[in-house]
Amino acid sequence: MTTMTQAGPAVRARRGRHGWGDRLLYAYTWLIIVWLCLPIAVMIAFGFNNAKGRLNLTWQGFTFTWYGKLFAVPDLTTALVNSLTIAVLAALGATVLGTLIGLALGRFRFRGQGALNLVQFAAISAPETVMGASLLSFFVQLGVGRGYLTILVSHIMFSLSFVAVTVRARVLTLDPFVEEAAQDLGASGWTTFRLVTLPMIFPAVLAGGLLAFALSIDDFIITSFNSGSTLTFPLWIWGAQKNGLPPQVNVMGTLIFLAGVLLAVGNAVLARRRR
Amino acid sequence: MTELRETEAATAAKVAAIELRGVVKSFQSHGETVTAVRGVDLTIAEGEFFSLLGPSGCGKTTTMRMIAGFDEPTEGQIILHGGDVVGVPPNRRDVNMVFQSYALFPHMSVFENVAFGLRRKNTPKDEVTRRVGEMLEIVDLAGREKRRPRELSGGQQQRVALARALVNRPRALLLDEPLGALDLKLRQAMQVELKRIQREVGITFVYVTHDQGEALTMSDRIAVMNEGVIEQLGPPRQVYERPATAFVAGFIGTSNVLSGTVARADGDTAVIEPGPGERILIPGAAAEAGGTVELTVRPEKIAIGLHPPDGEACALRGTVTEVVYLGTFTNYTVRTSTGAEVVVFVQNASSADDVAASGDTVWLSWEPRHSYAIGA
Ligand SMILES: Nc1ncnc2c1ncn2[C@@H]1O[C@H](COP(=O)(O)OP(=O)(O)OP(=O)(O)O)[C@@H](O)[C@H]1O
Ligand SMILES: [Mg+2]
């Protein structure tokens, strides 16, 4: 579920003239869209497959059965609930902490600023296996039992930088005098933040939060290092696939994908209305 | 005249609205110390229209920011309405600022922008609606309440910024080049409007501008700043006609700066005699014979003729180097016998031909009271 839609400014197409270049670009665009959608289409289709036996790999007819029996596999349901709650909590945690860091990096000059910037990008670009392994040894050193909490902490940790980077970029484009104007008109520091700063950076905060959610619900590698016996959706699928995946997996995937599409569309509509 | 004296007397009795004592402001930037303001003393009376005039980078905005509370002075005191405000945050100072860059809230409508200050003071809802409506009427933006700042032109944004500050009826309003983005016509209309609002509401205005014409027409007093110091402070007429320094003379209007050796001193009038028949009288110049003196004469005070003037007027001979016709005025540049270039504005009162042409030898004359010794 990595559907992040950036509602950028609409590109105004040249009207009237449709040269070869335009047609090629048009064809290419649709080719990419189809290519990106193909695996998703397969996933959605096999949620409706009337599969018999363990394997859900060949088409055997259309059915709504699996939508009715969505929660018929108890372990899978637990794994999905774990994934969803961890993703929501991790997104909230990463959004709050990341926004504060992004604000500080964009607005102030302070000791250690350069180092913080560097570490942040290192956290973004570090291989996940390295990060997962080092988090594991960190938790082992501390004697913390692996499970739900360690997954949550590691998810907040690796998605925080993404929020901070997004927010910082937004803060850098803001006119600092706007906040001063609010203070000048009698707003305290907190009121200024609530009524002026936060609404101005909100698109970036939201984008960062959604990114954190998507990263968390998706994550396999780091989670697998730090999960202990707790299973998340991706971990359960990985474990179950040797014996064949139940069609419920496809149905859940479809629903998560749909939620993502709805969020993206809502975001785009809001952005258009705000413009 | 009597009215002026009365207001002056009344001003003296009241507490000053804004007082700066020995204010210095230094910034640390890239390991260097930049001193933007170097020792400013100011007393601005309640209800006064006070202008800060000076070239770019002279410290006008920095001075304003210290009064508003966004920057703290490195040295010195700032006193607002009798109370020392150093250390008091901007939201607890009874002054409002109109920013050079407008600084409107981009996510709020025009109405919400203007209502912001009133809502912070928990003003009742219907009063907010009424006062914001009145204010938008004044700045000619009625009917645009629902627009976002980005949907307005530069001039309209500037007027929202004005309304947003004025609606709070602060005791003092700081305006940092508030009319910079307006076209000439709107600018003049807003000048009149601002002046009217200021008189009606009776609030102190501290007005920063690049535009000397604006400063001269609107202000009760002007401070001319240069490189972080105030070069001269006084009423417009005084600053214009009696510039205290060569910088002020050059910055305000076009001014001719002449210098010469004092031939003799008649009482308190110094006399320079550059050549035969030529004389410059400078009343009130504390100079002795043999000393050098610098003086200024405004271009519109000088008459130009083909013959030496009669009587006691100042007289200087020269050659016309340039004639520029400017509609109501003709602008002559004359190289005098002392080598200085003098600019003369002659009003084109009748349809007669130009007084002189380029290359002509002419006589410049002016009344002695229009010569001002610089630094006197
Ligand atoms: N925060 C700052 N850090 C470093 N230097 C500064 C800072 N603010 C102002 N300065 C410097 O102080 C000097 C005065 O700046 P200021 O903004 O007060 O000028 P100004 O008179 O308002 O000019 P303008 O008419 O162009 O607006 C400038 O040389 C400027 O570079
Ligand atoms: Mg300025």
Side-chain angles (χ1 to χ4, degrees), chain B residues 15-72:
Chain B
V15 186
I18 299 169
E19 208 179 328
L20 271 64
R21 287 192 200 144
V23 169
V24 173
K25 179 67 191 179
S26 305
F27 293 104
Q28 296 300 326
S29 90
H30 304 287
E32 273 177 60
T33 307
V34 181
T35 308
V37 174
R38 22 183 119 227
V40 163
D41 292 287
L42 271 183
T43 306
I44 301 172
E46 188 110 30
E48 188 172 18
F49 197 118
F50 189 92
S51 289
L52 275 175
L53 186 61
S56 189
C58 71
K60 305 183 294 291
T61 298
T62 307
T63 306
M64 293 278 240
R65 289 176 58 82
M66 287 190 285
I67 299 174
F70 299 121
D71 286 328
E72 291 294 345

Side-chain angles (χ1 to χ4, degrees), chain A residues 77-135:
Chain A
T77 307
T78 314
L80 181 71
V81 169
N82 280 344
S83 264
L84 285 173
T85 53
I86 287 173
V88 167
L89 293 175
L92 281 176
T95 304
V96 171
L97 296 176
T99 299
L100 295 177
I101 293 175
L103 270 172
L105 283 173
R107 188 53 37 97
F108 306 109
R109 324 211 118 265
F110 52 91
R111 254 162 182 276
Q113 189 171 28
L116 182 55
N117 239 333
L118 201 77
V119 168
Q120 222 185 140
F121 281 102
I124 289 176
S125 56
E128 284 198 47
T129 40
V130 174
M131 198 125 74
S134 57
L135 273 167

Side-chain angles (χ1 to χ4, degrees), chain A residues 79 83 216-220 223 231-240:
Chain A
S83 264
S216 166
I217 208 161
D218 235 12
D219 186 73
F220 178 77
T223 314
L231 287 181
T232 61
F233 190 58
L235 288 187
W236 190 90
I237 293 175
W238 177 252

